[in-house]
Amino acid sequence: MKLRPRLTLFTVLLVILVMTFTSLATLFSLRYLLKKEMKSNQLTHFNHFFEVCHDNLYVGDDLGVTTYSESLEKSVPGLAFALFNDNSRSQIRLGGLESLERFRKFNPSCLTEEPEFPLKEVPSHVKETPYGTVVYFCKPLKLSNIKNQMIRGHVFLGFNGEFIKSELNRIINRMWKTVFWSVVLVLIMSLGMAYILAGKLTEPIAHLTEGAKAIGEGNLDTQIPIESTDELGFLAQEFNLMAVKLKELDQLKDDFISSVSHELRSPLSAISGYVELLRSKPLEEIDLERREKALRIIQQSTDRLAHFISDILDLAKLKSGHIELARRPLDFNDLTEEILGLFQPLFEKKRLAIANDIPKDLPMISADVDKIRQVITNLISNALKFTPSGGKIRIGARNQSEFIEIFVQDTGVGVPEKAKEAIFERFKQVKEVRDQVEGTKGTGLGLAIAKGIVEWHGGRIWIESELNKGTTVYFTLPNQA
């Protein structure tokens, strides 16, 4: 009679031992797979960043590398740095501000000097520093750009070692609860449930592995099924979010290169063509009218290039926070009269009615007059551009106690509901609205700059619009003299 209890106890202990061993083996296997998956995702980020550097440097677009680096800083948890170290141009480094600062601290070196080393086989390096541990990938980049200039350097992408370790431990620690209750469930229901549990644990990891492989092959539309709400479900959800972000960044890169190429190519082609015309024969042999036309178009194209570059620089300063406001008293009545006076010939040419509803008793505020002039000029320019002949443009303001509300209203083509937020992003333009405008289309930077200036003053900007009826853009500024 004593043997049965002992045998039962022995059986229970044996099952517990087996399940404990199985549980530990499962956790260690999971840890290994998660580390492998993390490394695979890191290598995927590096591969995409390397391709972005290659494509942008080929067309001579250093800003594209910096912009993508800043996007990675915001969207990739644990990122230490992402930059291109240019050895051919006096050690120029291209990357976001945070990446440049961390790279200087960690000071990693690239041990791989073979440019043809396959991207999918780039090894990772680990460096211990007083600032912490960094795990990074690097690869030499050598190419001849579109101007036949040789570019040589190294692409670096690193991750915070402590973050990776803590994230891995966090996931594993949370998995302990799941494994514990799984063991209890298996003990109660039978050892056969272990097979089902193993399937539930490994299937999401298999989906993650397949998804990572697809992402690595460039299929950014990849989404893996979310079949649970536990840690693996959370990991699958984060993976899907990462894939969406990568696709958005890839599209942003394409849009940026396309926009910049178009904005630079058109005026440069005009300048080149008319310079060639002026050099084709002595100036006195060229008809005076043709000379004047050529010089006028060269001047206009040069102004367009300067304006475009100025917009990009303004946006970069706003984005990085390197902007100083020269505050002084601002009288909206004087400023509005000045701006409308500059636009008056264009209003008359297009037969537009103008209404200035700025109250005479509107209080003065403290602001950067030049930058607020830039905001209002941009809004009136947009209203002029998108309002058909015979329409009306109205500018007004209201004193709302704590802030001043300014608006520019038109009777133009309007903006679709789904595009009201997007138009304040860089290079974002509404295609169906843009196609209705004749002449210069703009760069898609004006409203992004206006939004940055208003927010830097402590205000906000928004839009109300209805298709084919008109648009009103509002912005506020703190009412502080």
Side-chain angles (χ1 to χ4, degrees):
M1 296 297 294
K2 294 181 180 180
L3 183 59
R4 180 172 296 180
R6 290 178 181 178
L7 185 58
T8 302
L9 179 60
F10 175 78
T11 303
V12 171
L13 292 176
L14 181 60
V15 172
I16 292 175
L17 181 63
V18 170
M19 291 307 303
T20 302
F21 175 81
T22 303
S23 301
L24 292 175
T26 301
L27 287 172
F28 282 118
S29 298
L30 181 62
R31 186 183 185 90
Y32 170 78
L33 290 173
L34 288 173
K35 289 178 66 175
K36 187 175 180 180
E37 183 63 27
M38 286 182 176
K39 185 174 182 179
S40 175
N41 290 337
Q42 294 166 5
L43 187 56
T44 298
H45 285 302
F46 175 78
N47 292 342
H48 282 287
F49 184 60
F50 185 90
E51 293 171 358
V52 168
C53 291
H54 183 280
D55 294 344
N56 282 275
L57 291 173
Y58 175 74
V59 298
D61 181 22
D62 292 350
L63 182 60
V65 178
T66 300
T67 301
Y68 193 79
S69 173
E70 292 173 347
S71 299
L72 289 177
E73 290 173 353
K74 292 183 177 181
S75 61
V76 179
L79 184 76
F81 50 78
L83 58 79
F84 173 70
N85 192 26
D86 196 331
N87 299 327
S88 60
R89 293 182 290 176
S90 302
Q91 297 293 335
I92 291 177
R93 292 173 178 171
L94 304 177
L97 294 178
E98 295 180 4
S99 292
L100 294 174
E101 177 65 21
R102 292 171 185 163
F103 186 88
R104 183 185 64 79
K105 290 182 178 180
F106 289 117
N107 192 26
S109 58
C110 192
L111 305 179
T112 305
E113 294 297 334
E114 176 53 55
E116 299 302 324
F117 201 90
L119 279 176
K120 293 184 179 181
E121 299 178 12
V122 174
S124 61
H125 307 280
V126 179
K127 184 174 182 180
E128 301 282 349
T129 73
Y131 302 99
T133 304
V134 62
V135 180
Y136 66 96
F137 300 86
C138 67
K139 184 178 185 297
L141 177 60
K142 177 181 177 183
L143 76 156
S144 177
N145 67 16
I146 198 170
K147 297 179 180 179
N148 290 325
Q149 298 172 334
M150 184 57 65
I151 303 296
R152 294 185 180 90
H154 293 82
V155 178
F156 287 87
L157 190 139
F159 297 85
N160 188 303
E162 282 74 16
F163 177 87
I164 296 174
K165 184 177 179 180
S166 64
E167 188 69 9
L168 187 62
N169 289 335
R170 182 184 66 83
I171 296 175
I172 293 299
N173 290 337
R174 293 179 65 184
M175 285 299 300
W176 269 108
K177 294 181 181 180
T178 301
V179 173
F180 173 79
W181 288 112
S182 298
V183 170
V184 172
L185 182 63
V186 169
L187 287 173
I188 294 175
M189 298 189 67
S190 72
L191 295 176
M193 291 296 295
Y195 179 80
I196 299 175
L197 178 62
K200 289 183 177 181
L201 289 175
T202 57
E203 186 176 356
I205 298 176
H207 288 314
L208 284 170
T209 304
E210 294 172 0
K213 182 178 179 181
I215 291 289
E217 293 173 352
N219 184 10
L220 300 182
D221 290 319
T222 300
Q223 294 284 289
I224 60 175
I226 301 176
E227 299 176 347
S228 63
T229 57
D230 58 8
E231 288 77 9
L232 288 174
F234 172 76
L235 190 60
Q237 183 179 356
E238 291 299 310
F239 180 93
N240 290 340
L241 180 60
M242 178 199 70
V244 172
K245 292 295 183 182
L246 284 175
K247 185 176 180 181
E248 291 176 355
L249 291 173
D250 190 63
Q251 184 61 46
L252 179 62
K253 177 203 70 175
D254 293 340
D255 293 343
F256 177 80
I257 293 176
S258 175
S259 297
V260 171
S261 299
H262 173 75
E263 291 301 325
L264 294 180
R265 185 185 299 113
S266 298
L268 286 175
S269 297
I271 293 173
S272 176
Y274 280 100
V275 168
E276 184 176 350
L277 170 65
L278 295 175
R279 295 186 61 189
S280 62
K281 59 180 70 174
L283 290 178
E284 59 270 14
E285 296 182 12
I286 301 176
D287 181 69
L288 177 60
E289 184 178 346
R290 295 188 68 189
R291 272 187 290 163
E292 290 295 332
K293 179 182 178 181
L295 292 174
R296 184 174 65 256
I297 292 178
I298 289 174
Q299 181 64 55
Q300 291 173 349
S301 299
T302 304
D303 292 342
R304 180 178 173 185
L305 281 174
H307 181 71
F308 178 64
I309 293 172
S310 177
D311 281 349
I312 291 180
L313 292 176
D314 286 345
L315 195 60
K317 290 179 181 179
L318 288 166
K319 187 174 181 61
S320 63
H322 293 167
I323 181 175
E324 295 182 1
L325 298 179
R327 292 183 179 271
R328 56 191 175 93
L330 168 60
D331 188 327
F332 277 103
N333 284 282
D334 292 344
L335 181 61
T336 304
E337 289 293 339
E338 173 191 340
I339 295 173
L340 292 180
L342 295 175
F343 278 95
Q344 190 61 38
L346 298 176
F347 294 148
E348 293 176 356
K349 181 179 179 181
K350 205 170 181 180
R351 295 184 290 107
L352 296 177
I354 306 302
N356 183 356
D357 292 337
I358 301 291
K360 297 298 181 182
D361 59 348
L362 192 69
M364 299 178 65
I365 65 171
S366 176
D368 190 315
V369 177
D370 292 333
K371 287 183 170 55
I372 298 303
R373 179 188 291 108
Q374 184 178 359
V375 173
I376 297 176
T377 299
N378 177 271
L379 298 184
I380 293 179
S381 177
N382 283 344
L384 174 67
K385 185 185 307 179
F386 294 106
T387 302
S389 298
K392 181 179 180 180
I393 295 177
R394 175 182 173 225
I395 181 170
R398 304 184 187 96
N399 185 358
Q400 302 286 14
S401 183
E402 295 183 358
F403 57 87
I404 300 295
E405 180 182 277
I406 305 94
F407 64 88
V408 175
Q409 185 179 66
D410 64 57
T411 57
V413 296
V415 178
E417 183 69 27
K418 61 181 181 181
K420 288 182 180 179
E421 293 296 329
I423 61 173
F424 289 104
E425 298 177 11
R426 293 172 295 171
F427 296 107
K428 289 290 186 180
Q429 299 189 59
V430 184
K431 185 178 185 304
E432 54 266 35
V433 174
R434 176 187 170 98
D435 292 342
Q436 298 183 45
V437 178
E438 298 179 355
T440 304
K441 305 294 186 180
T443 62
L445 293 176
L447 287 177
I449 294 174
K451 183 175 186 288
I453 291 174
V454 170
E455 291 180 347
W456 199 255
H457 277 81
R460 68 186 188 97
I461 187 169
W462 71 98
I463 186 174
E464 293 179 2
S465 182
E466 189 173 349
L467 281 177
N468 302 318
K469 289 189 177 181
T471 299
T472 304
V473 182
Y474 298 87
F475 71 93
T476 63
L477 295 173
N479 192 356
Q480 298 176 356

